Amino acid sequence: MFENKDKTHIEQLGEFGLIEHLTKQIKIVQKSTVKGVGDDAAVLDFTNKQVLVSTDLLLENIHFDLRYVPLKHLGYKAVQVNLSDIYAMNGIASQITVSIGISSKFPIEAVEEIYQGILLACDNFQVDLVGGDTTSSLQGLVISITAIGHVDKNKVVYRSGAKSGDLICVSGDLGGAYVGLQLLEREKQIFLENPEIQPDLEGKDYILERQLKPEARKDIVVLLDSLEVKPTSMIDISDGLASELLHICKASEVGCRIYEDKIPIDPMTYHTAVDFSLDPTVCALSGGEDYEILFTINQKDYDKVKNDLDISVIGHIVDKNEGAAMISKSGIQHAITAQGWNHFNK
């Protein structure tokens, strides 16, 4: 993709030369992209569609640690974080913009690696990169991505539509990204104490990929549309199941009941959590970064989704005055509290 093999200082190209160098590989695939990179602004045409826009900011040593996060994976993940928000509105992502703040320690080849991941994500999810910015940074690497998407006016789904009696569903499995992070952090500490020791990551590919290379759930949006199921509410799971459930309950002015034995947890996540003396359920409730979709559906749609192995029904919506709670495997009711990752407490 990029041909440079030796380290090249960014000042050799300058800002505009760097932008031209990084964006020359871009291919436009969306009909809604009238004009992409190369002018003062992108031009998009979403005739008869609701336009969706979402932005996330990733900061070195706050959201990622370059001691164990490969740059290509970082670029890929940065895109997924944003696409996930579009899919959580029942929409389809179609364009992104990318802005990067780079410190002097990064040669051009390092920035190319980030862009390799970004462009791979664009290719895999059929998204156009249509603009952005680059600047210098004194605080380490900064990546800001804005995702743009669309949805038919009658298909957009908010957090605020859940009703008492609706079923609570989740895609995929939960907790894997958090447990993968714990594994990486353990190996980092071992390395810092003894750089001669090789990391022990064998057989843990699944949870490592959940952390380093998550996949936003566009397929769930497509699946639900094919099943003719319009969720009553939706949100992506970025900060943990508990936090996202409470967001839906607050926005919809309802309560909820979920069942611990219904929460989908992969065996590798479960056993690795136990090895770390962590409660797998707590990892699923509060770990975050799974980027699965949490949604509610009318009970009449249950038969349409009940046989799909990638969708789990984990509970139901109740009246607001009943509160938000989880029924444990032993039948005890526990109030759900938001203990997801807080960016400002790191």
Side-chain angles (χ1 to χ4, degrees), residues 157-159 161-171 224 229-235 241 245 248-249 252 254-259 262 293-307 311-319:
V157 177
Y158 301 96
R159 300 175 182 180
K163 299 288 188 295
S164 182
D166 286 352
L167 301 177
I168 301 170
C169 305
V170 66
S171 66
L224 292 174
V229 173
K230 180 186 176 182
T232 54
S233 67
M234 281 180 112
I235 190 171
L241 175 62
L245 274 169
I248 284 181
C249 287
S252 298
V254 295
C256 70
R257 291 292 180 273
I258 62 169
Y259 297 85
K262 300 295 184 183
I293 301 291
L294 172 68
F295 59 99
T296 57
I297 61 172
N298 190 291
Q299 287 191 35
K300 66 180 175 58
D301 287 325
Y302 172 69
D303 285 341
K304 297 178 181 179
V305 304
K306 67 179 182 181
N307 293 322
I311 294 176
S312 300
V313 179
I314 62 171
H316 58 277
I317 298 296
V318 297
D319 290 336

Side-chain angles (χ1 to χ4, degrees), residues 192-239:
L192 291 175
E193 293 170 7
N194 187 348
E196 300 300 320
I197 297 179
Q198 293 297 310
D200 180 17
L201 304 173
E202 186 175 352
K204 302 295 185 180
D205 291 0
Y206 180 69
I207 57 174
L208 291 173
E209 191 162 286
R210 294 288 285 176
Q211 170 57 221
L212 296 175
K213 189 176 175 288
E215 301 284 343
R217 298 311 304 262
K218 174 182 179 180
D219 59 319
I220 294 297
V221 176
V222 174
L223 171 66
L224 292 174
D225 186 57
S226 70
L227 294 174
E228 298 183 345
V229 173
K230 180 186 176 182
T232 54
S233 67
M234 281 180 112
I235 190 171
D236 78 322
I237 302 178
S238 56
D239 295 324

Side-chain angles (χ1 to χ4, degrees), residues 60-225:
E60 184 177 353
N61 297 323
I62 298 293
H63 302 99
F64 58 88
D65 189 331
L66 291 178
R67 281 172 288 195
Y68 54 70
V69 178
L71 292 173
K72 186 174 180 179
H73 286 68
L74 176 61
Y76 192 91
K77 181 175 180 176
V79 177
Q80 301 307 310
V81 169
N82 286 271
L83 300 188
S84 185
D85 286 329
I86 302 298
Y87 303 140
M89 300 294 293
N90 205 35
I92 296 296
S94 48
Q95 287 87 14
I96 62 169
T97 65
V98 177
S99 295
I100 297 184
I102 314 157
S103 69
S104 59
K105 71 179 181 181
F106 287 95
I108 286 176
E109 290 72 27
V111 187
E112 288 175 351
E113 283 192 55
I114 298 171
Y115 263 76
Q116 284 174 356
I118 290 171
L119 294 178
L120 177 61
C122 288
D123 185 50
N124 287 352
F125 285 79
Q126 292 295 284
V127 171
D128 291 340
L129 199 170
V130 297
D133 194 18
T134 61
T135 187
S136 59
S137 168
L138 299 178
Q139 305 298 323
L141 179 62
V142 179
I143 303 177
S144 177
I145 293 183
T146 296
I148 303 159
H150 56 85
V151 61
D152 290 345
K153 291 183 179 181
N154 63 340
K155 291 184 178 181
V156 63
V157 177
Y158 301 96
R159 300 175 182 180
S160 56
K163 299 288 188 295
S164 182
D166 286 352
L167 301 177
I168 301 170
C169 305
V170 66
S171 66
D173 56 80
L174 305 177
Y178 178 75
V179 177
L181 178 62
Q182 302 314 300
L183 179 60
L184 289 166
E185 286 286 346
R186 182 194 70 182
E187 294 305 311
K188 181 186 78 172
Q189 292 304 320
I190 293 173
F191 174 79
L192 291 175
E193 293 170 7
N194 187 348
E196 300 300 320
I197 297 179
Q198 293 297 310
D200 180 17
L201 304 173
E202 186 175 352
K204 302 295 185 180
D205 291 0
Y206 180 69
I207 57 174
L208 291 173
E209 191 162 286
R210 294 288 285 176
Q211 170 57 221
L212 296 175
K213 189 176 175 288
E215 301 284 343
R217 298 311 304 262
K218 174 182 179 180
D219 59 319
I220 294 297
V221 176
V222 174
L223 171 66
L224 292 174
D225 186 57

